[in-house]
Amino acid sequence: MSETTTRTPGFDSADPEARRALMAQVAPEPGSAKPDPILKVDRIVRSFGGMTAVDVDHLEVQRGVITALIGPNGAGKTTFFNLITGFDKPSSAREGAHWSFDGATLDKTSPANVARAGMVRTFQLTKALNRMTVLDNMMLGATGQAGENLLKSWLSPLWRKQEREIEEKAKDLLQRFKLLEKKDDFAGSLSGGQRKLLEMARALMTDPKMIMLDEPMAGVNPALTQSLLGHIQSLRDEGMTVLFVEHDMHMVRHISDWVVVMAEGRVVAEGAAGEVMSNPAVIDAYLGAHHDTDLGDDSLLADATMEALADEVRDEEEAQSEAPRTTEEGR
Amino acid sequence: MTMDAEARTLAEEQGKEPSKSRRALVIAAGMAGGLVLLWLVGQFAPGDVGSIARAMMREALSPQTAAVAVAVIGLNVHFGFTGLLNIGQAGFMLLGAYGFTISIRYDVPLVPAVLIGLLAAIVFALILGLPTLKLRGDYLAIVTISAAEIIRYVGRSALLTDFTGAAQGIQGKTYRDPFTDLSFFGSGEASIGFLNYQMTGVNGWWVRFVAWTLVALCVLGIWLLARSPWGRLLRGIREDELAILSLGKNAFAVKMQALVIGGALGALGGMIYVLPSSVQPDSMGRALTFFAWTALLLGGAATIFGPVLGSILFFTVRIFIKGTADVVVPNSLMNSQQTEQFSWIVVGVALMLLVIFKPQGILGDKRELRFNV
Amino acid sequence: MKVRQDLRQVSPRASGGVKLLLVALVAGLAWSLVPGAHAVPTLCMPSDTTACLGGTLRTDEGVVPDVEIKVTSPSGEETVLTTNEQGKWNLAAEEEGPWTLEVDQETLPDGVATTGEDVITVQARYGATTPGLIPVRTESYSSERSFGEYLAQSTVNGLRLGLLLALAAVGLSLIYGTTRLSSFSHAEQVTLGGMVAYGLVNVGGMNLWVGGALTVLVCAATGWTQDRLMWQPLRRRGLGLTQMMIVTIGLSLAMQYCFQYFVGARTVRVVQDNPDVLELGPITLTYQSLAAMGISVVVLAAVGYGLLRTRVGRATRAVSDNPALAAASGIDVDKVIRLVWVVATGLAGLSGIMYALVTNGIKWDSGMQILLLLFAAVTLGGLGTAFGALLGALIIGMVVELSPVFGMPGDFKYATAMLILILLLLVRPQGLLGKAERVG
């Protein structure tokens, strides 16, 4: 994956100090400019009937770090995701709505084109393809498959070799996400958390530049949550940009390098994880929505646990770097 | 679908190819064995049992059963693999039949005439797909059933009498000759026990041979497609189109391809359907579409052999019900016309029960109990 | 087709039958001497070497008997036919190709004239019966019937069809709205109304009003039973919507053949005698039609009022909007859906009775045509919006009846309605009153 990710020169995303230093340059205010934005969004408005669900004036997402998009339920996070990934159309389409990803304008593109540009998303309600095997789910993710062309699909020699390569890659990823032994099971038979993992792994099959996770932790049991968070961090460490949506801010504190807070459709605050939580606008937003914000169970993500996790991830990576890595040649 | 999907992934890496072939062989042998058994009963059983078995056997081998099987294979591409709700397959069949027979009546040679029939269905599929494939599934259902009826209305319109023969349809002998001329079976008759037909003739061994050969070719073609990454894409779209979009695939184009292929198979089925008889617009209406659906669900949607098994069973079982009702129920309770209707009522109820209690059909995977997950 | 049906329905009244037979014999003898054409005023059976030509000479007031028609074969042989008591003529042609028909103006009764061309050409084909339509009309007719009057009459007919469709379409739409199920068996519920009314009123001899009311109750009871025994358990099982839809297809098939089993394949009428006619300027309307339209308006208004103003109506709309939310806010969703089934099937039954009354009867497969019009109406208005269904039904009714006025051949009037539906989906897939749906 890292092969296709263009990195900010002189910036090692695996180094916490480097990340902190990089994001320290950024002003902690809504719509602030980033040193090397991979995604830029301008004037996106979406209203349903008379209600404005999303009204984002300007937002930039820094390349190579984990950005969390948080906010209380109903803040418009998922709608915002749908808009920038082409699954929904902004009401402001004719009034200057504009967004670009990695230099490419995406104002009027379909979901498929957004994904092909390198911005791949997952869904809040997991969209595992239930009556297909885990491996088939994975292999669907691969891009540029000759065998998906109707005319070539009849003749297996035209795609047999590529198919084997894709399968190897899929198995590598499944191994990494600890799903390899499930590869011949129906995706529908997996647990909720495993399906989230599968969806993430499937998104990675497309070799994205940025992965957008919509509430990856929702409905996942605590043990798997930790491994999920670990996976997200290791992706970042390999140089991928991660943008994820979460409504519980405590979940994101430990892993995000930058936090964007939305409330009632607008971006109300931005900042480093530690600081943004004390921003009055954020407290307002959360208290306005529900009062038990501070009662979140933080012990789950105690630093000791996170360190243990980081070690585990590192071990896995080492194991992986030894395994033969397949890259796609046709790109 | 699971049968081949699973078999494929397993086979490719672990050399389990034989197990898949074995399953295909078992199914094919089972079907052949069933037919042989039916033939034996028909040949040797006395009385009513024998005569019902003979009627069933004739129905099983009938070219029209083969024709419906081809159309059901097309429907399987739509619904079984892609999840497209085409409730107008009879419209594709009728269009294929019209395209083919009218071309021949205007002295177009056989092969171009077949291509014209296929082309008509392809254009029809494109027209129907364009407005609906981006919408929710029910829209395609409503539009296909409506469009199929439009074709029938237009076909039986008195204005087009010169082309379509209006409600009277087109007589078989006006278009059959180029097809029967191709026969290398010679003339005369041949019998296999009680199955006695002309070698070529109007409705003889030749049309049976061609029809069932085409069924076999379609099965082979669909098997090739279903095991390819394209087939995997179809199943992905069936499961969740949004997920497929999020992976950067052009789901619309793939759905359109599936609609076109299934529709063209429907048209091919329609051509076979009219070869031994005539083009009757009213016999290729909504009811025929529903029979195709019942056959598909009976055999097992998203399976390779399901459509063929389903079509054969559908027609023979109906004959069985009708024949049995004729024999068992006294005429005072149910006359022979009513047993005919009774058999259709049973078909309707069977369709309901099948969908509710065994949606995977006979050949489908047990784990795949539900359509919409 | 038409011709053959007409011939079959000729009931040989004793004296007429004998006379007809005699004419046939004499004519048969006479014409058997003419080579090439073999014309007898009895049923001609098409075969491999025989083509049939036939038709009925008819004005808007009735059939025209005893008119001579000169028939010329493609090779120029001439034959003269005479229409029988039912205005029918019939010819067994032994030559394929263009035959010409010409009415002998002398033999036309006073006040009847041909319209347009005097010589009609028809194509004879072996094994087929070709209808030869010779347009004739009463002379008073031509001066009476202008385009404006035709338009007025068709508009009223369209309104009538629209209102009847609306009764069924609103129900279909309510079912879709609350359960997301496109019910293919809904049109058979309409047929059921006509069939039950036929049984109670025509066969059972019940008073029309009492029988009608009872029919609606019976139909509503089928809705209750269906939901109790089938749809509710299936919803609880979590059966997919696609599966449910196929279940309705099976039900529709079973119901159609049940009608055929019990009633037969013929068209049945609720009331046997011909209804009285009301003439309002250019518009002719039976009192039954008038009553049907009145009842439809009242019932539709009541349904509309119920949906907008009553508690249960608001609950129904809440379930349509968001079942989960409705359930969370204390609405008994199952109860609402049960009620919707009862009301929808009751309305369909009412629609069926009136459809059978105003269109001179109902047949086992009438539902098929109705279903397509219903789907067109519901989709046109916006799937799941009851008021959209009402609007869609009125539009579809108008389109069906008005398209012949604007030159669409009568055969295509249903096709026109479908075509409009498909075109609308291209530009406004959510229908006229539907809201664009939120994706993702």
Side-chain angles (χ1 to χ4, degrees):
Chain A
M1 288 117 268
S2 48
E3 291 87 343
T4 54
T5 308
T6 44
R7 292 185 183 215
T8 311
F11 168 61
D12 177 11
S13 63
D15 175 7
E17 284 309 317
R19 293 199 304 269
R20 220 164 288 145
L22 183 77
M23 295 317 284
Q25 312 162 20
V26 180
E29 60 192 30
S32 61
K34 308 292 183 304
D36 180 15
I38 191 167
L39 175 71
K40 278 200 227 181
V41 178
D42 279 301
R43 283 184 293 285
I44 286 200
V45 182
R46 177 70 169 105
S47 41
F48 298 104
M51 199 192 76
T52 304
V54 168
D55 182 0
V56 172
D57 196 46
H58 183 76
L59 182 69
E60 293 182 7
V61 175
Q62 169 62 28
R63 188 191 305 274
V65 300
I66 298 178
T67 303
L69 183 60
I70 68 168
N73 285 325
K77 306 178 299 284
T78 294
T79 310
F80 179 67
F81 248 44
N82 285 343
L83 286 168
I84 56 177
T85 49
F87 281 88
D88 197 357
K89 297 264 175 285
S91 323
S92 58
R94 291 196 195 110
E95 292 138 36
H98 173 78
W99 65 105
S100 61
F101 176 76
D102 208 19
T105 301
L106 293 180
D107 299 5
K108 279 178 186 163
T109 21
S110 65
N113 284 337
V114 171
R116 264 174 254 155
M119 187 159 90
V120 173
R121 69 171 296 183
T122 66
F123 295 86
Q124 189 175 352
L125 296 169
T126 327
K127 294 192 181 299
L129 308 168
N130 288 342
R131 289 178 304 168
M132 300 176 76
T133 64
V134 168
L135 188 61
D136 269 351
N137 261 275
M138 292 295 289
M139 292 179 71
L140 263 173
T143 51
Q145 297 190 43
E148 285 182 357
N149 179 316
L150 177 58
L151 298 175
K152 294 180 187 162
S153 63
W154 300 83
L155 297 165
S156 60
L158 291 180
W159 45 262
R160 183 71 72 191
K161 178 166 173 283
Q162 190 190 24
E163 184 85 346
R164 266 194 294 271
E165 288 164 6
I166 294 169
E167 195 176 324
E168 281 311 312
K169 179 174 165 186
K171 283 188 196 153
D172 282 351
L173 272 168
L174 285 176
Q175 175 90 52
R176 173 172 175 181
F177 284 84
K178 298 205 171 66
L179 288 170
L180 189 58
E181 68 273 26
K182 302 257 181 206
K183 72 180 169 59
D184 295 323
D185 291 6
F186 274 139
S189 69
L190 300 182
S191 73
Q194 286 172 325
R195 270 189 266 179
K196 290 261 180 202
L197 281 174
L198 173 61
E199 200 184 19
M200 202 195 292
R202 191 177 65 198
L204 292 176
M205 284 292 289
T206 65
D207 298 324
K209 295 173 189 155
M210 176 163 102
I211 185 161
M212 303 174 63
L213 308 167
D214 195 350
E215 301 220 2
M217 271 79 81
V220 178
N221 72 44
L224 263 177
T225 302
Q226 291 172 6
S227 103
L228 247 166
L229 292 177
H231 285 306
I232 294 173
Q233 282 177 307
S234 67
L235 288 174
R236 183 259 330 268
D237 293 349
E238 288 162 19
M240 190 175 295
T241 311
V242 179
L243 174 64
F244 76 98
V245 160
E246 184 53 61
H247 73 265
D248 186 345
M249 54 175 145
H250 294 301
M251 284 287 196
V252 305
R253 181 180 290 167
H254 294 275
I255 66 160
S256 35
D257 304 303
W258 193 253
V259 177
V260 176
V261 187
M262 276 182 84
E264 289 168 358
R266 296 164 180 279
V267 175
V268 294
E270 283 191 42
E275 285 118 48
V276 83
M277 307 291 184
S278 50
N279 185 321
V282 178
I283 294 169
D284 254 14
Y286 270 85
L287 285 180
H290 50 99
H291 305 279
D292 57 352
T293 334
D294 265 327
L295 304 177
D297 183 10
D298 213 7
S299 61
L300 183 65
L301 299 168
D303 286 351
T305 328
M306 291 309 293
E307 273 162 28
L309 250 170
D311 287 341
E312 197 182 312
V313 169
R314 225 168 285 131
D315 291 345
E316 258 181 54
E317 269 176 57
E318 274 160 25
Q320 198 137 17
S321 61
E322 279 157 30
R325 193 168 265 219
T326 50
T327 53
E328 259 188 83
E329 282 137 60
R331 283 170 66 90
Chain B
M1 75 119 208
T2 53
M3 169 190 91
D4 48 310
E6 228 177 49
R8 174 167 48 68
T9 48
L10 284 177
E12 268 174 15
E13 49 155 9
Q14 291 158 2
K16 280 194 183 169
E17 194 76 37
S19 85
K20 180 176 59 174
S21 318
R22 201 180 309 135
R23 169 156 187 168
L25 274 179
V26 165
I27 292 168
M31 281 159 66
L35 287 177
V36 169
L37 198 67
L38 193 60
W39 181 87
L40 286 173
V41 175
Q43 188 69 19
F44 299 111
D48 289 331
V49 176
S51 73
I52 291 175
R54 283 193 289 279
M56 285 168 72
M57 186 71 198
R58 288 196 192 96
E59 191 81 1
L61 287 190
S62 136
Q64 300 207 331
T65 304
V68 171
V70 171
V72 174
I73 291 172
L75 192 60
N76 195 23
V77 174
H78 288 157
F79 178 71
F81 292 119
T82 325
L84 299 175
L85 286 168
N86 169 16
I87 320 271
Q89 187 69 336
F92 285 97
M93 293 176 75
L94 185 56
L95 203 59
Y98 273 142
F100 169 66
T101 56
I102 294 173
S103 303
I104 291 214
R105 276 154 52 98
Y106 281 84
D107 295 325
V108 177
L110 187 70
V111 173
V114 171
L115 293 180
I116 287 173
L118 293 178
L119 194 69
I122 290 169
V123 171
F124 186 56
L126 291 174
I127 293 173
L128 295 189
L130 221 53
T132 52
L133 285 185
K134 285 191 173 159
L135 306 174
R136 232 183 9 232
D138 347 23
Y139 283 97
L140 182 69
I142 290 171
V143 166
T144 45
I145 192 173
S146 303
E149 285 303 303
I150 292 182
I151 294 199
R152 197 172 61 85
Y153 283 135
V154 171
R156 66 197 304 265
S157 157
L159 279 181
L160 295 177
T161 308
D162 288 349
F163 296 99
T164 61
Q168 298 291 329
I170 301 171
Q171 286 282 299
K173 67 181 167 55
T174 60
Y175 56 78
R176 193 179 296 125
D177 291 345
F179 172 73
T180 44
D181 288 349
L182 279 186
S183 170
F184 47 82
F185 276 31
S187 52
E189 292 186 1
S191 312
I192 303 178
F194 61 88
L195 292 169
N196 176 31
Y197 302 105
Q198 290 175 305
M199 281 311 285
T200 299
V202 169
N203 187 1
W205 289 110
W206 168 240
V207 66
R208 280 173 176 68
F209 169 76
V210 173
W212 287 104
T213 308
L214 285 173
V215 171
L217 287 177
C218 289
V219 168
L220 182 69
I222 293 308
W223 176 70
L224 284 175
L225 278 180
R227 67 203 267 269
S228 75
W230 186 81
R232 183 169 60 210
L233 201 48
L234 287 193
R235 292 192 301 272
I237 288 170
R238 181 193 66 191
E239 292 299 299
D240 198 322
E241 194 180 336
L242 291 182
I244 297 301
L245 281 175
S246 79
L247 294 172
K249 315 278 181 189
N250 188 346
F252 178 76
V254 177
K255 280 160 79 176
M256 189 63 102
Q257 290 167 354
L259 189 67
V260 163
I261 290 179
L265 286 175
L268 183 65
M271 295 177 219
I272 305 172
Y273 195 80
V274 299
L275 267 181
S277 57
S278 56
V279 184
Q280 294 290 340
D282 289 344
S283 75
M284 293 166 95
R286 196 170 63 152
L288 187 59
T289 300
F290 292 174
F291 302 160
W293 272 89
T294 312
L296 175 63
L297 295 172
L298 184 63
T303 62
I304 299 293
F305 285 103
V308 182
L309 179 67
S311 304
I312 295 178
L313 275 181
F314 174 81
F315 286 104
T316 50
V317 167
R318 197 188 71 81
I319 292 289
F320 175 77
I321 294 168
K322 181 174 152 31
T324 312
D326 264 333
V327 172
V328 175
V329 184
N331 252 356
S332 54
L333 281 179
M334 219 190 259
N335 60 37
S336 71
Q337 213 176 6
Q338 284 178 319
T339 55
E340 173 84 21
Q341 285 144 14
F342 175 73
S343 70
W344 290 123
I345 297 174
V346 173
V347 165
V349 174
L351 177 59
M352 290 162 71
L353 296 179
L354 201 64
V355 174
I356 295 171
F357 295 108
K358 201 167 164 55
Q360 78 275 24
I362 294 171
L363 297 181
D365 192 309
K366 278 205 187 80
R367 290 181 296 173
E368 205 179 304
L369 269 171
R370 297 196 289 165
F371 286 37
N372 299 2
V373 186
Chain C
M1 194 63 203
K2 184 76 188 151
V3 176
R4 270 159 82 192
Q5 259 173 10
D6 286 348
L7 284 173
R8 231 180 290 130
Q9 281 161 7
V10 172
S11 57
R13 281 169 297 164
S15 65
V18 173
K19 207 162 134 195
L20 202 72
L21 200 65
L22 277 174
V23 171
L25 279 171
V26 175
L29 279 171
W31 284 317
S32 60
L33 302 172
V34 182
H38 193 79
V40 282
T42 50
L43 184 65
C44 160
M45 290 302 291
S47 74
D48 281 357
T49 54
T50 317
C52 292
L53 303 177
T56 306
L57 209 57
R58 191 199 301 267
T59 69
D60 53 315
E61 286 176 3
V63 296
V64 193
D66 299 325
V67 176
E68 289 184 358
I69 302 172
K70 190 172 78 182
V71 186
T72 314
S73 77
S75 53
E77 303 284 350
E78 285 184 9
T79 315
V80 176
L81 303 174
T82 310
T83 57
N84 70 7
E85 286 187 356
Q86 283 84 31
K88 291 175 193 307
W89 61 272
N90 188 308
L91 170 86
E94 280 161 12
E95 209 177 320
E96 275 191 313
W99 288 66
T100 57
L101 312 170
E102 187 181 355
V103 170
D104 185 346
Q105 302 285 345
E106 299 292 310
T107 59
L108 279 175
D110 290 344
V112 177
T114 53
T115 65
E117 292 156 35
D118 287 339
V119 181
I120 311 285
T121 307
V122 292
Q123 294 287 334
R125 287 193 301 112
Y126 288 144
T129 298
T130 311
L133 297 174
I134 304 169
V136 289
R137 63 185 176 204
T138 50
E139 271 160 1
S140 56
Y141 176 90
S142 61
S143 60
E144 219 173 40
R145 186 86 166 176
S146 70
F147 176 78
E149 285 154 354
Y150 190 17
L151 185 68
Q153 177 74 54
S154 299
T155 307
V156 172
N157 287 353
L159 189 64
R160 183 181 70 185
L161 179 63
L163 284 169
L164 294 188
L165 284 179
L167 282 177
V170 166
L172 184 62
S173 188
L174 282 173
I175 293 176
Y176 183 86
T178 47
T179 64
R180 291 284 174 265
L181 172 68
S182 309
S183 173
F184 278 68
S185 56
H186 202 66
E188 269 60 49
Q189 295 288 344
V190 176
T191 317
L192 182 72
M195 291 288 173
V196 172
Y198 157 77
L200 293 178
V201 179
N202 191 338
V203 179
M206 211 176 263
N207 171 288
L208 179 58
W209 292 98
V210 178
L214 206 57
T215 304
V216 173
L217 288 181
V218 170
C219 289
T222 63
W224 189 91
T225 319
Q226 273 179 38
D227 189 56
R228 176 73 191 77
L229 295 182
M230 197 154 57
W231 307 122
Q232 190 185 25
L234 291 185
R235 280 197 301 277
R236 295 226 167 116
R237 269 174 78 121
L239 199 75
L241 282 173
T242 310
Q243 259 166 296
M244 291 257 241
M245 197 174 97
I246 300 170
V247 173
T248 67
I249 291 179
L251 182 62
S252 135
L253 199 64
M255 281 176 81
Q256 277 183 27
Y257 283 97
C258 277
F259 297 145
Q260 216 189 48
Y261 185 98
F262 290 110
V263 182
R266 72 214 146 90
T267 303
V268 295
R269 297 180 60 177
V270 175
V271 179
Q272 207 55 30
D273 36 278
N274 282 322
D276 295 329
V277 171
L278 171 78
E279 289 199 28
L280 271 175
I283 300 161
T284 315
L285 210 59
T286 62
Y287 282 105
Q288 286 174 359
S289 296
L290 209 60
M293 288 165 75
I295 293 173
S296 304
V297 170
V298 171
V299 170
L300 287 169
V303 171
Y305 178 85
L307 278 176
L308 290 177
R309 292 272 178 273
T310 64
R311 241 178 95 86
V312 66
R314 279 195 292 269
T316 308
R317 286 189 297 142
V319 173
S320 291
D321 276 350
N322 187 339
L325 193 64
S329 56
I331 295 172
D332 185 344
V333 175
D334 272 329
K335 215 162 141 187
V336 168
I337 293 178
R338 175 76 49 86
L339 182 73
V340 163
W341 272 102
V342 169
V343 171
T345 49
L347 288 177
L350 181 63
S351 170
I353 305 167
M354 301 202 288
Y355 185 89
L357 278 175
V358 305
T359 60
N360 287 326
I362 202 154
K363 237 172 100 191
W364 65 283
D365 63 350
S366 296
M368 174 159 159
Q369 222 165 49
I370 300 172
L371 179 74
L372 300 175
L373 295 180
L374 286 182
F375 273 154
V378 169
T379 320
L380 196 64
L383 278 178
T385 58
F387 294 99
L390 176 62
L391 179 68
L394 290 176
I395 294 176
I396 290 294
M398 288 288 183
V399 166
V400 167
E401 293 293 343
L402 284 180
S403 62
V405 180
F406 295 100
M408 188 61 73
D411 295 345
F412 291 170
K413 63 182 187 179
Y414 294 104
T416 317
M418 312 292 151
L419 207 62
I420 285 182
L421 168 69
I422 294 178
L423 292 181
L424 182 94
L425 287 181
L426 272 172
V427 288
R428 198 177 157 81
Q430 69 270 36
L432 294 175
L433 297 191
K435 287 195 193 103
E437 273 200 30
R438 190 174 160 170
V439 195

